[in-house]
Amino acid sequence: MSERTPQSFANYKRRLPPFHFFVIPVLITNLIVAIVYLILHPGLLPAWLLIVSAALLMLAFLVRINPIKVQDRLIRLEERMRLTALLSEPERARVPELTEHQLIALRFASDAEVPNLVQEALREQLGPKDIKKRIQNWRPDHSRV
């Protein structure tokens, strides 16, 4: 089993090379070709090819975005349960005040850091990027979509 590079703020974002560097560029190029073809050869078939090209590009984005939305819902639930276990009662009562993006960002914080980060996030209205920058002991998430 190979060792994974430890996650940090600098490298936590996930790129899926076949999708980001092949599928999307090919579909964008296909859409551009369809537009040019329609301009050069107006007609029903080129118009239909443009519509299909746009639909394929939209489909590719939906195929990527919808699982991320489901993942975010699961992360919110996981983090609410985790915060319930880690926070004291006064802090626990404030968990609903955290935004979706704050909850998702907190998933990377170690258990020891969570109470302070939750207080800071609520007090200073920290955005997800700010929360992630303040994490000292990164809790990796290798199961991201």
Side-chain angles (χ1 to χ4, degrees):
M1 188 171 169
S2 66
E3 290 291 316
R4 292 184 177 183
T5 304
Q7 279 186 6
S8 67
F9 181 75
N11 70 359
Y12 78 95
K13 292 183 180 178
R14 182 163 183 209
R15 301 274 189 275
L16 188 60
F19 180 81
H20 290 100
F21 304 116
F22 179 70
V23 172
I24 294 302
V26 166
L27 291 175
I28 289 172
T29 302
N30 186 60
L31 182 65
I32 292 167
V33 167
I35 292 168
V36 170
Y37 192 77
L38 178 62
I39 291 168
L40 295 176
H41 307 284
L44 184 60
L45 183 59
W48 181 249
L49 291 176
L50 176 61
I51 291 168
V52 170
S53 295
L56 286 173
L57 185 59
M58 186 180 302
L59 177 64
F61 281 112
L62 291 173
V63 163
R64 180 76 178 144
I65 290 168
N66 286 339
I68 291 172
K69 286 182 182 181
V70 172
Q71 174 182 266
D72 287 350
R73 289 184 66 155
L74 288 171
I75 290 168
R76 285 192 336 248
L77 175 61
E78 273 181 343
E79 286 308 303
R80 283 189 183 112
M81 291 175 62
R82 180 174 170 232
L83 294 177
T84 298
L86 295 175
L87 300 177
S88 63
E89 182 49 44
E91 295 167 324
R92 231 181 280 150
R94 295 198 64 199
V95 168
E97 295 175 39
L98 292 166
T99 68
E100 175 181 346
H101 297 294
Q102 287 173 322
L103 281 168
I104 292 168
L106 284 166
R107 81 181 185 273
F108 294 113
S110 66
D111 289 352
E113 291 178 281
V114 164
N116 287 337
L117 277 173
V118 167
Q119 288 176 357
E120 291 173 15
L122 290 169
R123 184 178 57 247
E124 300 172 34
Q125 292 300 304
L126 296 177
K129 190 174 184 179
D130 298 318
I131 291 171
K132 291 172 194 169
K133 283 181 178 178
R134 292 185 185 198
I135 296 171
Q136 298 299 310
N137 298 310
W138 201 269
R139 184 174 159 241
D141 181 0
H142 296 291
S143 301
R144 293 166 298 140
V145 172

